Structures are given as C-alpha cells and as structure tokens.
C-alpha cells in the first residue's frame, strides 16, 4: 500500500489506526487460535505506535488464555479466567442455561450458567459468542456429579458504541481506489498483491453480507482463496458452519427444545465446503429455506421464525488450466439438496471466486491500516442505516415489468456496495454518478444476472436475461 494512503490512515483514522506486522506479532499469538478482530483489539491495547509491549501482551494472554490442560486445573479446584469463544444453549426441559467451549473440549452438557450471571447479561442466549469468562468446577445439586459453572462473564465488545458519522467523514479524504486498498489491508492482505481492480472488487464482495441484512450469496471458488478466513476471522457477528450435520432445527427453530437456531442471533451464516456438509431431513430444510430466503421468515409447526441473518453458500468448483470453470453450469458443483432452481433463484448474489489469487505468505499485509475490530463494528452498524436504500431508490429507474426478485436482488447488492465503498454518500448531491454505476449498480446487475442465467440452465422457465435497470438522468 502506497505511502500516501498510509499517511491518510494515520492522519484521519486517529485512534482507530493500527500497525500490523504478522511476522513480528505472530509468535506472540502462537498456539492460541484467535480471529483477527480479537488480535487487533489486543494489539491496540498493547501497541505504542509501531512497537508492541510484548511482555504486557504475553502476560495478559497467559492470564486469559492459559496454556495446559484446563480440565486438570478445574479438577484441582482452580478458578480459571478465559478469553474464549463459547456457545450457549438454553435447555428448557431441565431449566438450565448451558454453555460449551469447543476449542477446549468442554461440551455444552458439561457447562452451566447460573441465573445470577444470566440475568445480568441478556445477550447470553442461543448461539456462539466471544467474551472473558470465569469458570470453576462445582458439584451438582445431588452431589453425585460435577459441572463447569460460569462464575462471571464480560462480553467481548471493546466498542460499546460506534459513530457511523466518523467513518463517513474519514471516507471523504480517500479516493475510491485508496479506500478499497484500506479495506483490503484491514483484512490483513497486501492490496498490491492483487493484480487488478477487478480482483480487489471480487475479494471485498465477500463483505457485503456484513453490511446488508438478509443478503443471500453463493461463492464457488478453487481451494486456497481465503473463503474460510474471511468468514471466521473478521466479525464476531457471523457463524461459520464447516462440515458436520445441519438440520432445520439447528438453523431455524428446534421444536423439541423450544429454542431458536443459529440464524436467529447472527448477521450471517456461512456454509463452508458445502459439498462436505450433511443436510438431514432435506425436504424439511429446503421448505424452510425457500420461505426464509424469500421473506425473512419461516413457519416451523406453530412457531414463526424471523431473522435478518444472511446466508452464504461456499463451495469448490473444478477449473480448466486457464482457471475458468470446466462446466458452464456452475450450480452442478453444489450438493443435490441445493441443486433446485426454485431455491437458488432466491439467492441474490454470485461471487466468481475463480478470479481470485491463491493466498500465500507474500500477501500478508505489514503496515498501518484500520483496526479490524473497529471496522467490524462499523459494518455491523451499517446494517441498520436506511439512508442508503433510500438513496438507491432516488438514483435508479427500471423496467416496470421487472420481476420483484431480480429488482430486490440488485437493490440489496448495490445498497451493500454503497455502504461498504461510499458510506459518505448520504444524499443524491453527494453521489458521483459514474462511480455509483461502475462500482455499485453494474456489479449488482452482473452478480444477480449470473444467478438468473444459472437458474435458466437448470429450468428454461426462468428467463436468462436480466430486466432493464439503469441510473436516472
């Protein structure tokens, strides 16, 4: 990233600027599986310009991420404080709020959250989260067994509030190519390692789910292009499903337990390596998905499930020697349960992951950029800013015969691009029409057009052509 952008980062981002050097700091986090948003928070806490208080950071990590057998320490009677990812499950049958720490092998049936902790923290509901928790081993009420009890909890939320107007004002000082490079560097990648502007735009399109509610995306790409990293490291508001079994109950609502599934409390749910995931009771799941993807709600028994969670399907696709899909029917790479036109037509956006480079060490960024934990909070807050969709309506005209799915898809994609690339556009007077058309509207039409074309290949009843949508003059 060039020196001019670095200077702007330091000048305009102020306290939200951060110096990243994975070669130097990587050893500090060795053996500790931490996502980028947590590492950036810790680096910011112990950074002094380009230097890091290594002793202070190491001491803190040893305190909240102790090395060794946690179970043995619990059995010996120690109270343990952890900075960790954990899951919560409300067991209504036994009137217990359970938790598990998957990275430490503590299962949900082994952990309990007492009422005095749960009552102070309403966010302790079904799902996965990060936080600092204090745990100990206590006997059950009958005295015959023991359980791991959460004695205290502090949510991992360094920014209790973020001011969107701050990032809007910061953005005014960057050109669009500079802002694009800043976003990529905040994701820990060197912008100069991408060969073209097209590659950069393809890469940051993955972030559209982070800023736009109920945006549904399909990405097919070769292995090694960083799909898993983006959805597992950048935001605490998402959920990544990697392999295993998936049911309607797990995703939406479990009637037996009377509890909501993982899509209730997250900004997005990403299925990684979708070809390896086993979908149980596929007919039930497919029916719920069709309803949810269309309306944001699904009826499970007598319960109506609603959410603003977006859905991401990520899979591999075979390529030719010149890195183009072997088969023009892209959706043939999806598992049978998803290979249905009526279901796939409800997805808005397609990412052509074969245009992206394979990730290697030379692509890791070193230098000043934006704090990812801060940026992830900004993206989370942009989801509820409605000025951008209103702006789209003022800027765009369309064929009145256009189908609602096509138009809705284009609007959501283009609105997400505005939020991500042009958050400072808050009125029509702010908009550069040429940039809006180039970076927002045309990419949105193209990405929805791929969905349209692929559904047509599967079922000729679907039109292959997109309806006319254009910028007002």
């Amino acid at each position: 990233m060039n020196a001019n952008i670095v200077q702007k980062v330091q000048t305009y981002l102020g306290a939200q600027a951060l110096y990243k050097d994975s070669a130097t700091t990587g050893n500090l986090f060795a053996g500790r599986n931490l996502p980028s948003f947590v590492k950036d928070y810790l680096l910011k806490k112990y950074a002094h310009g380009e230097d890091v208080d290594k002793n202070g950071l190491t001491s803190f990590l040893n305190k909240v991420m102790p090395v060794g057998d946690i179970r043995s320490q619990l059995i010996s009677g120690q109270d343990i404080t952890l900075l960790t990812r954990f899951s919560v499950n409300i067991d209504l049958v036994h009137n217990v709020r359970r938790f598990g720490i998957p990275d430490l092998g503590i299962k949900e049936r082994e952990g309990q959250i007492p009422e005095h902790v749960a009552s102070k923290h309403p966010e302790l509901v079904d799902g996965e989260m990060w936080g600092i928790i204090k745990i100990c081993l206590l006997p059950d009420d009958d005295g015959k067994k023991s359980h791991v009890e959460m004695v205290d909890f502090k949510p991992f939320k360094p920014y209790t509030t973020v001011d969107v107007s701050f990032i809007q004002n910061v953005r005014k000082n960057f050109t669009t190519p500079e802002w694009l490079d800043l976003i990529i560097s905040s994701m820990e990648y060197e912008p100069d390692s991408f060969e073209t502007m097209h590659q950069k735009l393809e890469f940051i399109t993955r972030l559209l789910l982070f800023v736009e509610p109920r945006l549904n995306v399909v990405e097919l790409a070769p292995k090694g292009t960083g799909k898993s990293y983006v959805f597992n490291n950048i935001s605490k508001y998402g959920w990544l499903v990697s392999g295993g079994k998936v049911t309607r109950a797990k995703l939406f609502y479990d009637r037996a337990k009377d509890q909501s599934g993982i899509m209730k409390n997250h900004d997005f749910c990403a299925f990684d390596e979708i070809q390896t995931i086993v979908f149980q009771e596929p007919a039930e799941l497919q029916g719920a998905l069709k309803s949810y993807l269309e309306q944001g709600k699904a009826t499970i028994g007598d319960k109506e499930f609603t959410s603003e969670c977006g859905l991401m399907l990520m899979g591999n696709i075979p390529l030719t020697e010149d890195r183009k899909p072997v088969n023009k029917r892209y959706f043939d790479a999806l598992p049978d349960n998803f290979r249905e036109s009526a279901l796939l037509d409800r997805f808005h956006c397609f990412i052509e992951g074969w245009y992206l480079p394979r990730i290697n060490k030379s692509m890791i960024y070193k230098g000043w950029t934006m704090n990812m934990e801060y940026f992830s909070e900004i993206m989370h807050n942009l989801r509820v800013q409605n000025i951008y969709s209103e702006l789209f309506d003022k800027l765009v005209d369309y064929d009145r015969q256009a189908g609602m799915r096509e138009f809705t898809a284009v609007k959501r994609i283009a609105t997400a691009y505005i939020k991500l690339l042009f958050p400072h556009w808050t009125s029509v007077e702010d908009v550069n029409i040429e940039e809006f058309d180039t970076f927002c509207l045309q990419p949105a039409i193209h990405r929805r057009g791929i969905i349209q074309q692929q559904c047509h290949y599967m079922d000729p009843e679907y039109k292959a052509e997109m309806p006319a949508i254009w910028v007002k003059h």
Side-chain angles (χ1 to χ4, degrees):
M1 195 159 69
N2 69 50
N4 184 48
I5 305 177
V6 171
Q7 181 62 47
K8 289 185 178 182
V9 168
Q10 293 175 297
T11 301
Y12 299 113
L13 277 168
Q16 309 314 331
L18 179 67
Y19 186 82
K20 295 190 180 186
D21 180 3
S22 61
T24 302
T25 60
N27 292 332
L28 294 173
F29 295 110
R32 294 179 167 102
N33 185 20
L34 290 173
S36 294
F37 61 85
V38 176
K39 288 192 289 187
D40 278 12
Y41 158 71
L42 294 174
L43 288 175
K44 189 65 184 175
K45 184 181 178 70
Y46 290 95
H48 307 286
E50 296 184 10
D51 297 320
V52 177
D53 177 4
K54 297 179 181 179
N55 290 333
L57 176 55
T58 300
S59 177
F60 178 79
L61 287 171
N62 288 338
K63 178 181 177 182
V64 300
M65 298 191 76
V67 177
D69 186 352
I70 300 298
R71 290 174 173 274
S72 296
Q73 296 174 46
L74 288 169
I75 290 174
S76 69
Q78 298 180 48
D79 289 358
I80 301 174
T81 300
L82 300 167
L83 169 61
T84 188
R85 172 178 66 104
F86 64 96
S87 59
V88 177
N89 185 319
I90 301 176
D91 183 347
L92 292 176
V93 175
H94 298 95
N95 193 28
V96 174
R97 195 177 301 247
R98 302 189 185 279
F99 77 97
I101 309 176
D103 294 337
L104 299 178
I106 296 176
K107 299 177 175 59
E108 284 183 352
R109 66 173 182 268
E110 298 174 318
Q112 294 185 19
I113 305 173
E115 181 57 33
H116 71 87
V117 174
S119 62
K120 292 189 294 185
H121 300 286
E123 63 269 39
L124 287 171
V125 293
D126 298 288
E128 187 179 83
M129 62 201 74
W130 275 84
I132 297 177
I133 60 175
K134 185 176 182 180
I135 60 175
C136 66
L137 194 66
L138 292 179
D140 291 345
D141 291 338
D142 58 12
K144 296 180 179 179
K145 295 182 179 180
S146 297
H147 65 271
V148 180
E149 181 144 324
M150 186 182 294
V151 179
D152 198 10
F153 167 65
K154 182 180 180 181
F156 181 77
K157 197 171 177 66
Y159 298 95
T160 53
T161 59
V162 293
D163 184 0
V164 172
S165 65
F166 173 77
I167 209 68
Q168 290 170 333
N169 289 325
V170 169
R171 172 63 180 89
K172 295 175 183 178
N173 299 285
F174 291 78
T175 66
T176 299
E178 288 174 342
W179 186 253
L180 189 56
D181 283 359
L182 176 59
I183 291 174
I184 291 172
S185 67
S186 72
M187 297 166 72
E188 299 188 357
Y189 293 99
E190 172 54 64
D192 294 340
S193 64
F194 291 82
E195 296 176 359
T196 63
M197 175 70 76
H198 176 243
Q199 276 193 344
K200 293 178 181 180
L201 286 170
E202 204 73 36
F203 189 68
I204 64 99
T205 297
R206 291 169 172 169
L207 298 182
L208 298 188
L209 283 88
F210 293 60
V211 297
E212 182 67 13
R214 286 205 303 114
L215 184 66
N216 306 313
V217 182
V218 179
E219 177 178 355
L220 297 177
K223 295 179 179 179
T225 54
K227 298 188 297 295
S228 306
Y229 179 86
V230 170
F231 291 96
N232 207 29
N233 282 272
I234 288 178
S235 173
K236 58 180 171 288
Y237 296 107
W239 185 290
L240 183 70
V241 178
S242 299
K245 297 178 181 178
V246 173
T247 64
R248 184 182 67 175
K250 183 176 180 180
L251 279 184
F252 295 105
Y253 176 75
D254 191 325
R255 296 174 64 187
K257 297 180 180 178
D258 189 24
Q259 67 182 33
S260 296
I262 59 179
M263 290 182 68
K264 182 66 176 178
N265 301 304
H266 293 87
D267 288 354
F268 61 83
C269 175
F271 290 160
D272 190 20
E273 303 283 358
I274 191 169
Q275 292 95 337
T276 68
I277 296 174
V278 177
F279 295 93
Q280 294 187 317
E281 300 170 332
E284 275 190 0
L285 180 58
Q286 199 175 73
L289 278 173
K290 285 180 183 177
S291 176
Y292 178 76
L293 294 174
E294 183 83 9
Q295 308 173 60
K297 59 185 178 182
T299 301
I300 315 295
D302 59 353
K303 181 79 172 182
E304 184 175 81
F305 173 92
T306 62
S307 176
E308 292 297 301
C309 180
L311 187 64
M312 177 77 172
L313 305 185
M314 298 186 291
N316 299 321
I317 187 169
L319 303 181
T320 62
E321 290 184 359
D322 59 351
R323 292 181 65 82
K324 295 294 175 61
V326 171
N327 186 352
K328 71 174 184 177
R329 297 168 60 99
Y330 305 158
F331 290 157
D332 284 357
L334 295 174
D336 291 342
N337 298 329
F338 281 89
R339 212 179 299 165
E340 187 200 2
S341 56
L343 175 63
L344 291 165
D345 188 42
R346 288 163 165 81
F347 282 83
H348 305 115
C349 177
F350 189 91
I351 298 176
E352 299 165 286
W354 51 85
Y355 288 118
L356 296 174
R358 287 185 63 85
I359 303 301
N360 57 67
K361 281 194 173 184
S362 68
M363 296 181 68
I364 306 304
Y365 179 72
K366 175 182 178 180
W368 285 95
T369 186
M370 183 160 39
N371 182 341
M372 178 46 70
E373 169 57 16
Y374 171 75
F375 189 46
S376 73
E377 288 290 342
I378 287 291
M379 290 191 290
H380 176 67
N381 277 268
L382 283 170
R383 293 172 66 85
V384 296
Q385 304 296 318
N386 57 20
I387 56 171
Y388 302 105
S389 61
E390 293 173 0
L391 194 59
F392 176 92
D393 291 336
K394 294 175 182 177
L395 293 169
V396 173
D397 208 344
Y398 57 94
D399 182 348
R400 292 304 184 267
Q401 300 302 312
M404 279 303 299
R405 283 183 188 164
E406 290 77 32
F407 181 76
T408 297
V410 170
K411 180 176 179 178
R412 288 189 182 174
I413 299 168
T415 299
Y417 274 124
I418 299 173
K419 292 176 179 179
L420 193 62
L421 295 175
F422 307 101
H424 59 308
W425 289 352
T426 58
S427 68
V428 173
E429 291 71 31
D430 297 329
V431 177
N432 179 311
I433 295 297
E434 183 178 348
E435 287 200 316
F436 169 72
D437 194 45
T438 300
F439 292 102
C440 304
L441 184 57
Q442 293 308 318
I445 294 171
H446 173 69
R447 296 186 186 285
R448 171 58 198 185
I450 297 173
I451 299 285
Q452 193 93 348
Q453 180 69 63
Q454 293 302 314
C455 286
H456 174 72
Y457 287 149
M458 301 174 73
D459 185 348
E461 288 188 15
Y462 288 88
K463 295 180 180 179
E465 302 80 21
M466 283 289 291
I469 303 174
W470 63 87
V471 178
K472 292 178 181 177
H473 294 291

